[in-house]
Amino acid sequence: MASIQRFLNYKTQSVMYFVLFLFLIKGLVLTSIIPAFQGPDEPTHYTATENVGIGSEEDRYPKKIEVSQTLEMLQFDEIAWQKTNTQDFETPRVPQNNFDISKYSGVVSIGSASSLSYTIGSWLGAPFPDQPVASKIFIIRLSSIIFGLLTVYLSFLISKKIGFSEENSLFISILVAFQPMFSFLSSVINPDAALIFAFSLFIYGAVSMLADGIGRKNIALLSMGLIAAILTKGPGLILAPLFMLILSFSVCEKFKISMRMMTAYAAIFAVAAAMIITITPLKGYLSSITHAETTSAFSSPIESLSKYLGKTITQGKLSDSSLS
């Protein structure tokens, strides 16, 4: 009986590796056939990737020009395959070097954006400094395939850790691997692919800690997921309170500490962490990824929501705001 179970486990693992291979092939095919810069905000993400490590706006400008010229050559606005992907502006910008880049928002607006996704992409593109933009974009897209592969495998591990059988865990990973939107995001330059991986790593660490108890490995998995998410994109901050909650619960379970006492410790830790953040460079980074200093034309979120609903939902009609 044990030998049969080992055979089934071996068979499941083999199929899992085959699924990962299929995902890799699918990713390479999609990466090749999806037109350059036709992913969501892909001009923005490509330019940010190429400008990793370049500090000043003046030094970043040549890359903006190069990308903008490539967009014009590829007829980006004329053949955009998503109706929401056409960039349009009401506020004119002053052209430089006799080339107007005002119609390409992703290129013009990019500043000193930072992301783990951009850093990994820049490492992949570094060995090909002389490649033209139109071909280098396909090289950098490989970073999204890598994050996608890791996410699919993590979905298999998470399912097993939750308690699903090997076969059901395999089925769940197949659903993840061939989910259409995930397949698309894993084939273009987009930090969401890295963010999904970071959340998956965090979930795996959380499930492992709740199932097996607190330990170095589980703390490391949970911490790496949190750090990767925060370094990738602003929404990753939502994992910070979850990290504290899961860690506190696990500590209480292991050391038999009352939840009331643990809550007090957690509050003290949170206050200390907040004080440290305010006097370190972390404050500037967190402010940039959360857009904390951004001002709004609306007096409150309720007013903003009301305006949005007024433009999208009218009596007897549901409108697409992207077309207004």
Side-chain angles (χ1 to χ4, degrees):
M1 193 70 180
S3 60
I4 295 177
Q5 187 61 46
R6 283 197 299 270
F7 172 75
L8 291 176
N9 290 342
Y10 173 77
K11 184 178 179 181
T12 303
Q13 286 286 346
S14 299
V15 175
M16 182 69 243
Y17 294 142
F18 182 66
V19 169
L20 293 175
F21 174 73
L22 288 180
F23 182 87
L24 174 62
I25 298 301
K26 173 176 65 68
L28 292 173
V29 171
L30 289 176
T31 293
S32 302
I33 66 176
I34 295 174
F37 298 112
Q38 293 298 328
D41 300 320
E42 200 166 21
T44 301
H45 302 313
Y46 175 85
T47 311
T49 300
E50 286 284 75
N51 282 326
V52 167
I54 300 177
S56 69
E57 177 67 24
E58 182 179 357
D59 292 335
R60 288 193 296 269
Y61 192 78
K63 182 55 65 177
K64 293 181 180 182
I65 289 291
E66 183 183 2
V67 174
S68 299
Q69 290 173 335
T70 302
L71 292 174
E72 185 176 61
M73 178 189 70
L74 297 174
Q75 294 183 294
F76 173 77
D77 279 339
E78 289 80 359
I79 64 171
W81 67 287
Q82 293 175 306
K83 65 179 181 297
T84 57
N85 212 24
T86 300
Q87 310 296 334
D88 188 20
F89 293 92
E90 295 179 358
T91 305
R93 289 180 171 85
V94 179
Q96 301 182 39
N97 298 342
N98 298 319
F99 185 81
D100 186 2
I101 62 174
S102 63
K103 58 183 177 180
Y104 304 118
S105 67
V107 180
V108 176
S109 62
I110 191 66
S112 56
S114 59
S115 169
L116 177 64
S117 173
Y118 298 153
T119 302
I120 300 298
S122 69
W123 291 348
L124 288 177
F128 310 96
D130 299 325
Q131 284 289 325
V133 172
S135 60
K136 193 172 183 179
I137 181 176
F138 296 102
I139 298 173
I140 296 177
R141 280 178 173 181
L142 295 177
S143 62
S144 294
I145 299 179
I146 294 172
F147 285 123
L149 279 168
L150 294 172
T151 300
V152 172
Y153 190 64
L154 280 171
S155 69
F156 176 71
L157 296 179
I158 291 169
S159 302
K160 283 178 55 180
K161 185 61 68 174
I162 289 175
F164 287 104
S165 65
E166 292 258 349
E167 292 77 12
N168 288 337
S169 299
L170 177 62
F171 178 70
I172 291 172
S173 67
I174 292 173
L175 291 179
V176 173
F178 293 96
Q179 201 279 337
M181 191 61 192
F182 177 68
S183 297
F184 175 73
L185 288 176
S186 300
S187 305
V188 296
I189 302 175
N190 195 300
D192 287 347
L195 189 65
I196 294 171
F197 159 72
F199 270 66
S200 300
L201 183 61
F202 182 88
I203 292 171
Y204 180 53
V207 171
S208 298
M209 186 172 291
L210 294 176
D212 305 330
I214 195 169
R216 292 181 182 179
K217 176 184 174 182
N218 296 335
I219 292 177
L221 288 170
L222 203 66
S223 301
M224 287 190 296
L226 172 65
I227 294 171
I230 292 176
L231 291 179
T232 298
K233 206 172 179 182
L237 281 172
I238 192 64
L239 296 183
L242 293 176
F243 176 86
M244 290 296 302
L245 181 63
I246 295 169
L247 192 61
S248 299
F249 177 80
S250 299
V251 170
C252 288
E253 285 289 305
K254 182 175 179 62
F255 298 103
K256 308 302 180 183
I257 301 175
S258 68
M259 188 58 69
R260 184 176 180 180
M261 185 65 68
M262 194 64 227
T263 302
Y265 289 149
I268 294 173
F269 177 83
V271 171
M275 293 176 63
I276 292 173
I277 289 173
T278 56
I279 59 175
T280 63
L282 276 175
K283 179 182 178 181
Y285 175 75
L286 294 178
S287 177
S288 67
I289 65 173
T290 57
H291 303 285
E293 298 178 358
T294 302
T295 58
S296 174
F298 303 102
S299 60
S300 68
I302 295 178
E303 182 186 356
S304 174
L305 181 61
S306 299
K307 292 284 187 180
Y308 175 77
L309 294 177
K311 285 184 172 293
T312 56
I313 301 178
T314 58
Q315 187 173 3
K317 180 181 179 182
L318 181 64
S319 302
D320 184 349
S321 61
S322 65
L323 302 178
S324 60

